Amino acid sequence: YISNINIWGVTYSRSSICALKGSKVEMSCKYIYPAKYNNINIVIVKTVWFTKVINGDFVDLKDDTDYSGRVGYSCINTFCSLKIFNVSQTDSKEYRFSFITNQQGGKYMGSPGVSLSVRDLQVKVNRLNDPIRIQLTCHTDCQLDPSVSYVWLEDGKANKENNNNLVLSSFNTTHRYQCAIRGHEDVPSPAVYAPQTTVLSVTPSETVEGSKVTLTCSSDANPAAKYNIYRVNEDQHGQLVSTEIQPVFSSIQVSDSGRYYCAAGNDLGSRTSPSIDINVKYAPRSPSVSQSPSGDIVVGSSVTLTCSSDANPAANYTWYKEGEKAQKASGEHFTITNIQNEHRGNYYCKVQNKIGHHNTSVSVTVVPEMMEMRNAIEITE
């Protein structure tokens, strides 16, 4: 690069520009160079505006696919201008100008260049002292001409108001509001609106005791909504659980089972989600086992073994006899009729659901019929 700034140079008319999204931007510069250098008559071979440098070469904006059909150059003598149409936030960069001469290494770049910042129009929402009156203000970080006229759009249709403020007289409005510069209604601000559909979800969908469970309240809203999550109590009223958008049960318990809902709200309104039920699943509790009739069982009579356990979902019951692999019965109750000596022994009840299982046992004692009679006689005597 030729760096003798006394005779080579680029001067930009502005060092920075702030522009609205969708608008046209124009920047310009003036460059100087000597008529002759090292006894060579200087000829301008090419002028170029660029933002990218690849392998030491300036990428002409006209050849940059990011700007296809959106740029135009104009050069009169040593005054050059650049126009960029329909700018967007991705155009927010530094733009530099370079001229190339017929001299070997005769490439000059003006740096720093022009810094372009592209901004959206934005709508600010302000609650007034009146609880149902809301003021919307159209603004941007860019300095606009004081004479600029605004357009307010309600659900895409122009409103009569033409200044940068709009006052609404209703809270919980269902409308969407945008503002634009008159003449540029095709590039409005992002819309502001009260929360739309509000949903409360739970992850994972099946909740197991002791696991980590996350509640998430979501809603489409601008400005962003604030969230409250409630649990329905015995009086069917909502009890506040959290003001976080995504509260977490680090180890959920059965006592956390219940009905939950959330509310999303911003300065334009609020909306409540449908309720969801959280049903905490758990493995069978330690089962209890009983025998009827109790005590010793007389040969030839019947006995019923009963196993019970609290579980969610409901448990399945399976009976086994100690020393035997084959299943004896299924269900909470196991009845042995016409009991014989070979029926004596320990019986196991296996209680199981998809969360877990528990085992418990009961011992059945069988006595001969004559012994039972003899015992009865002895008691009588």
Side-chain angles (χ1 to χ4, degrees):
Y1 300 105
I2 300 171
S3 59
N4 187 339
I5 62 173
N6 293 320
I7 53 177
W8 307 83
V10 176
T11 304
Y12 299 98
S13 55
R14 298 171 65 179
S15 61
S16 63
I17 297 174
C18 186
L20 291 178
K21 178 183 174 183
S23 64
K24 177 187 74 175
V25 171
E26 184 169 359
M27 58 188 74
S28 60
C29 70
K30 182 177 178 61
Y31 63 95
I32 59 172
Y33 63 96
K36 181 178 288 190
Y37 189 78
N38 290 338
N39 296 319
I40 298 175
N41 292 325
I42 301 300
V43 177
I44 301 299
V45 176
K46 185 178 181 180
T47 57
V48 59
W49 289 89
F50 67 97
T51 63
K52 301 174 184 175
V53 180
I54 298 178
N55 296 326
D57 294 324
F58 306 142
V59 180
D60 193 331
L61 287 181
K62 289 180 179 178
D63 301 324
D64 191 330
T65 55
D66 293 341
Y67 296 86
S68 296
R70 295 196 299 122
V71 295
Y73 293 177
S74 174
C75 277
I76 301 174
N77 296 325
T78 58
F79 180 84
C80 286
S81 64
L82 165 67
K83 291 180 182 178
I84 309 174
F85 300 89
N86 190 26
V87 294
S88 65
Q89 276 86 350
T90 58
D91 296 329
S92 296
K93 299 171 184 174
E94 182 186 7
Y95 293 80
R96 291 175 287 179
F97 176 83
S98 173
F99 60 91
I100 302 170
T101 72
N102 60 330
Q103 188 180 24
Q104 184 177 1
K107 183 189 296 185
Y108 189 88
M109 171 184 64
S111 185
V114 180
S115 177
L116 173 62
S117 297
V118 179
R119 299 285 186 266
D120 264 330
L121 281 173
Q122 297 289 336
V123 177
K124 282 187 175 180
V125 181
N126 299 295
R127 294 290 296 275
L128 301 177
N129 291 333
D130 187 322
I132 65 169
R133 295 179 75 237
I134 302 162
Q135 179 176 276
L136 306 181
T137 301
C138 188
H139 79 105
T140 177
D141 295 335
C142 294
Q143 187 69 41
L144 300 180
D145 190 314
S147 63
V148 74
S149 180
Y150 295 85
V151 176
W152 284 95
L153 305 173
E154 181 179 285
D155 298 327
K157 296 180 180 179
N159 186 289
K160 293 180 181 179
E161 192 62 62
N162 62 3
N163 64 35
N164 69 324
N165 290 321
L166 175 67
V167 176
L168 307 179
S169 58
S170 63
F171 182 68
N172 245 357
T173 176
T174 59
H175 300 296
R176 301 166 72 95
Y177 294 92
Q178 298 167 277
C179 68
I181 302 299
R182 190 169 298 280
H184 296 278
E185 290 87 349
D186 58 329
V187 193
S189 69
V192 294
Y193 46 92
Q196 306 295 300
T197 303
T198 302
V199 175
L200 179 64
S201 60
V202 58
T203 305
S205 56
E206 182 172 83
T207 55
V208 177
E209 183 180 38
S211 64
K212 178 181 177 181
V213 173
T214 302
L215 295 178
T216 302
C217 187
S218 60
S219 180
D220 179 22
N222 189 25
K226 294 182 179 179
Y227 298 93
N228 289 330
I229 296 179
Y230 300 89
R231 180 178 180 179
V232 179
N233 59 25
E234 294 178 357
D235 298 329
Q236 300 303 304
H237 295 126
Q239 179 180 354
L240 182 63
V241 173
S242 175
T243 57
E244 298 178 12
I245 186 173
Q246 206 171 49
V248 174
F249 294 96
S250 58
S251 177
I252 198 163
Q253 301 301 309
V254 175
S255 58
D256 296 317
S257 294
R259 191 149 50 97
Y260 293 78
Y261 68 92
C262 72
N266 63 12
D267 284 335
L268 290 168
S270 63
R271 180 159 293 191
T272 299
S273 74
S275 63
I276 62 170
D277 289 313
I278 294 181
N279 182 17
V280 179
K281 306 291 197 302
Y282 51 95
R285 305 305 194 205
S286 182
S288 64
V289 65
S290 62
Q291 172 187 307
S292 179
S294 59
D296 297 341
I297 308 300
V298 178
V299 169
S301 62
S302 298
V303 66
T304 297
L305 307 180
T306 300
C307 187
S308 61
S309 175
D310 178 26
N312 186 18
N316 295 316
Y317 297 83
T318 309
W319 291 91
Y320 298 89
K321 186 180 181 185
E322 184 179 36
E324 298 180 10
K325 292 183 179 179
Q327 175 182 320
K328 305 301 289 185
S330 61
E332 292 182 57
H333 306 286
F334 171 34
T335 299
I336 306 172
T337 59
N338 190 23
I339 197 165
Q340 301 300 315
N341 284 329
E342 60 265 26
H343 291 130
R344 65 163 56 92
N346 292 324
Y347 289 82
Y348 292 91
C349 170
K350 182 177 182 180
V351 188
Q352 183 172 21
N353 64 11
K354 62 182 180 180
I355 310 300
H357 65 87
H358 248 297
N359 292 336
T360 191
S361 66
V362 60
S363 180
V364 174
T365 302
V366 180
V367 296
E369 186 177 4
M370 290 301 295
M371 181 181 293
E372 185 68 22
M373 292 176 61
R374 190 180 302 113
N375 289 341
I377 293 170
E378 289 175 359
I379 292 173
T380 302
E381 292 176 351

